[in-house]
Amino acid sequence: MAEQIGLPIAGQSGKAGSMNIVFRADLSRHVAHRPSVLYWVMRPGAHLGGIGMGLVRMVRPWDEWLLTWGYDIDQPPPEVDEATARDIVHDLVGDTTIDVEITSTSLWTVNHSYATEYSRGRVFCAGDAVHRHPPSNGLGSNTSIQDSYNLAWKLAMVLRGEAGPGLLDTYTAERAPVGRQIVDRANLSRDQFGPIFAALGIAGGGDDEGIVAGLAACRADDAEGVKRRQALHEAIELKNYEFNAHGVELNQRYSSGAVIPDDAPPEVWERDPELFHQPTTRPGAKLPHAWLVDEHGERLSTLDLVGRGEFTVVTGLAGGAWVSAAEELSLRAVRIGDAGVRDAYGDWRRVSDLDEAGCLLVRPDGHVAWRSVSDVPSGHVGVLRDVLNRVLHRKFPPS
Ligand SMILES: Cc1cc2nc3c(=O)[nH]c(=O)nc-3n(C[C@H](O)[C@H](O)[C@H](O)COP(=O)(O)OP(=O)(O)OC[C@H]3O[C@@H](n4cnc5c(N)ncnc54)[C@H](O)[C@@H]3O)c2cc1C
């Protein structure tokens, strides 16, 4: 569809070939004592394509699995019949005695490509159609769902006449940078298997003997073995950027016509922005999560106070004027500190960066559209109305 409507696609397609094999086999004797959802397996041949190693991923412990194996993209795509698939499973698991029932096989390619525009006329694209990358970092589904979450409320409001059509232009402005970031990160994570291969002494290509020799050298008790194990340790540390990269997933900052920036100085990242999430109420960021306490004494997240298709005004106990203004404009308002939304742990005060009489306007997708860190002297209704009109690309509120 993206190609059919002429969306510009940047990057490279078909960098490597991969196959998925879904199978049933009782592998408990190999894994039950070291439980994980995902096992990387170094075997001769595994680095030819795909993600660069054999991968055995648990679907159901310990008898249902997805195996991923590479193939040489420069050769014609392989025919993977049941017997071939079973051989690959036996080889990668390293045990020919297990019973294997093949459920399905499929081929896929590693891509490093992304659309730089997500819509043409009345057609909007989301998901893997506009960001194409290997599964490294595991963000394909989340990013695809976020695309839809970003678009759905905008479409609904424009179709209901509550927003101007300009709001729809903000979809590309907000989501295309995220798509590109995910594609680049996933491919970098795949490339960062390189140092692991180097430490293991694996040159690449079909160097099966080299793999066997490299793995043996890595176990040697000589100086070369020590050097390789140190290099391997450092290479595996890099994998934090694949498996523990909360910042990649959560530090999205939208910049578009559906966000009104404030005059705060540019954001400074306190820690590595790829590894660590930095919560903020800066316009464009996702509303930070903070635990509150409801009227039954149960924990409640700030994230549950917003969304469900509506804009939300968020303020503190001293922000009564914002609440009244929100009511006048038929906006949902939340005053943190009220019964039912008590900041019992001080989490909100810690992350919100707002005075108690400050105010956030949070969009239906949970991103902050606008904020006033402090109270304004007067005219709260007018301020909120203007802000809403700008964000929704409309001149007047609907009657
Ligand atoms: C091996 C592997 C592991 C992954 N692991 C993870 C992970 O751990 N975490 C994660 O978040 N993501 C992961 N992903 C990525 C994730 O699966 C995708 O990002 C996600 O499925 C994309 O969703 P989508 O709806 O955009 O596309 P798809 O899921 O591909 O859905 C598109 C649908 O459209 C259908 N279709 C195509 N053409 C037509 C047509 N002309 N007419 C009608 N229907 C059509 C297709 O059959 C398909 O059902 C992984 C992907 C792979 C390949």
Side-chain angles (χ1 to χ4, degrees):
M1 179 58 84
E3 274 84 359
Q4 282 166 339
I5 61 168
L7 295 187
I9 309 281
Q12 184 195 351
S13 297
K15 280 172 67 181
S18 263
M19 71 181 73
N20 280 359
I21 301 173
V22 182
F23 66 98
R24 288 179 205 277
D26 181 3
L27 299 186
S28 35
R29 72 172 180 272
H30 297 295
V31 292
H33 59 290
R34 44 175 179 163
S36 174
V37 292
L38 194 151
Y39 300 84
W40 298 105
V41 188
M42 287 304 307
R43 296 280 291 163
H47 60 297
L48 275 179
I51 40 193
M53 278 196 202
L55 177 154
V56 185
R57 188 169 173 174
M58 185 267 294
V59 177
R60 209 181 61 178
W62 305 106
D63 59 4
E64 212 173 314
W65 301 89
L66 161 68
L67 178 154
T68 301
W69 183 250
Y71 71 85
D72 189 346
I73 193 82
D74 296 325
Q75 301 299 321
E79 296 280 338
V80 188
D81 59 18
E82 218 175 297
T84 310
R86 194 173 294 110
D87 285 349
I88 292 172
V89 173
H90 277 149
D91 182 50
L92 200 63
V93 173
D95 183 347
T96 52
T97 64
I98 44 170
D99 287 333
V100 174
E101 182 192 330
I102 302 295
T103 314
S104 71
T105 66
S106 56
L107 301 181
W108 52 279
T109 56
V110 172
N111 300 310
H112 187 150
S113 54
Y114 47 88
T116 52
E117 289 167 37
Y118 281 15
S119 66
R120 270 284 182 281
R122 298 175 68 242
V123 184
F124 293 80
C125 282
D128 278 10
V130 282
H131 28 83
R132 306 164 186 182
H133 53 85
S136 327
N137 286 74
L139 294 179
S141 304
N142 321 32
T143 306
S144 302
I145 292 165
Q146 284 166 8
D147 288 343
S148 312
Y149 202 49
N150 183 289
L151 179 60
W153 67 271
K154 294 176 181 173
L155 272 178
M157 292 190 88
V158 171
L159 290 174
R160 287 198 300 256
E162 296 165 3
L167 180 62
L168 295 173
D169 296 336
T170 67
Y171 174 56
T172 285
E174 293 181 351
R175 294 305 302 169
V178 175
R180 178 177 183 174
Q181 175 216 11
I182 297 300
V183 169
D184 287 343
R185 181 63 249 177
N187 277 278
L188 181 57
S189 294
R190 177 179 176 271
D191 294 345
Q192 282 175 342
F193 280 108
I196 295 182
F197 298 144
L200 292 171
I202 296 167
D207 178 20
D208 291 357
E209 282 173 16
I211 293 184
V212 174
L215 290 174
C218 233
R219 292 192 197 99
D221 61 2
D222 55 12
E224 176 62 18
V226 171
K227 207 170 93 190
R228 281 182 189 242
R229 285 188 291 279
Q230 179 59 25
L232 185 60
H233 173 75
E234 284 165 18
I236 289 173
E237 283 293 296
L238 262 186
K239 289 281 112 188
N240 275 322
Y241 286 88
E242 176 170 356
F243 298 116
N244 297 315
H246 290 161
V248 172
E249 194 171 351
L250 296 168
N251 285 340
Q252 299 170 356
R253 305 284 186 263
Y254 292 160
S255 171
S256 79
V259 168
I260 302 175
D262 64 7
D263 52 9
E267 188 166 10
V268 175
W269 298 102
E270 306 291 341
R271 295 192 286 174
D272 187 320
E274 284 199 289
L275 292 184
F276 297 100
H277 171 44
Q278 179 162 302
T280 175
T281 56
R282 284 169 178 271
K286 185 92 194 274
L287 179 72
H289 153 77
W291 285 123
L292 307 172
V293 171
D294 73 9
E295 59 269 53
H296 309 294
E298 301 283 334
R299 284 194 317 180
L300 169 78
S301 170
T302 44
L303 300 179
D304 295 326
L305 303 174
V306 301
R308 297 182 297 282
E310 284 184 57
F311 276 79
T312 310
V313 168
V314 178
T315 184
L317 266 187
W322 293 114
V323 175
S324 306
E327 279 163 7
E328 196 159 320
L329 296 169
S330 302
L331 292 171
R332 176 169 58 205
V334 175
R335 198 161 67 155
I336 293 180
D338 272 343
V341 283
R342 293 215 190 279
D343 187 19
Y345 307 110
D347 282 357
W348 177 246
R349 189 173 284 268
R350 222 167 279 127
V351 295
S352 69
D353 253 340
L354 292 178
D355 293 350
E356 260 195 38
C359 174
L360 299 178
L361 180 67
V362 183
R363 309 186 327 185
D365 58 7
H367 282 257
V368 177
W370 166 86
R371 74 173 172 178
S372 176
V373 171
S374 315
D375 202 1
V376 296
S378 61
H380 295 74
V381 176
V383 170
L384 268 187
R385 184 188 288 117
D386 288 348
V387 161
L388 207 55
N389 287 347
R390 276 176 68 187
V391 169
L392 293 179
H393 294 247
R394 67 186 189 195
K395 289 204 169 58
F396 304 102
S399 55

